[in-house]
Each structure stands twice: as C-alpha cells, then as structure tokens.
C-alpha cells in the first residue's frame, strides 16, 4: 500500500503561548520578524514555526536547536 501524505496546514498560535512556553528555549524578541508572528504548522505533527528577522539568526538557531 502506498504511503499517504497529510495535508499541511498552518494556524495562529494561542495568544501568549509562544512567549510563555517556547521563546525561552528558542528565538524571541529581536530575533523574530515583527511582520511574521510565530505560527503553528501541521503535516502529521504540530510544530511551532517562528520567522527570524535575519538569515544569520536562522543559521545560528539551526546549529543550536538540534534535537
């Protein structure tokens, strides 16, 4: 049987959930793009998707937030 793909979706995060729970372990404040608030994305599992203010900050997060 062929694998089935999940339709991806995004949604706004509940007010305060990013600042209170996630930002201390990832990007926050000046690290984020003020025009693109963090969102929740789903493609089989929910993930928080923050938009960084610069490519340099994104590169630094990519090397420090590995699981």
């Amino acid at each position: 049987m062929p694998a089935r793909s999940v339709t991806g979706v995004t949604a706004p995060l509940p007010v305060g959930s990013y600042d209170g729970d996630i930002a201390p372990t990832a990007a926050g404040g000046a690290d984020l793009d003020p025009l693109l608030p963090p969102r929740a994305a789903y493609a089989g599992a929910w993930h928080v998707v923050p938009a960084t203010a610069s490519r340099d900050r994104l590169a630094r997060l990519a090397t420090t937030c590995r699981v």
Side-chain angles (χ1 to χ4, degrees):
M1 180 177 263
R4 295 183 184 199
S5 294
V6 175
T7 301
V9 296
T10 65
L13 288 173
V15 174
S17 65
Y18 184 80
D19 295 333
D21 299 330
I22 301 162
T25 62
D31 294 330
L32 300 179
D33 186 328
L35 300 177
L36 296 169
R39 293 187 56 88
Y42 181 82
W46 284 101
H47 301 278
V48 174
V49 181
T52 59
S54 70
R55 287 184 180 204
D56 178 60
R57 183 58 180 129
L58 178 62
R60 286 185 283 129
L61 280 173
T63 59
T64 59
C65 292
R66 293 192 179 176
V67 185

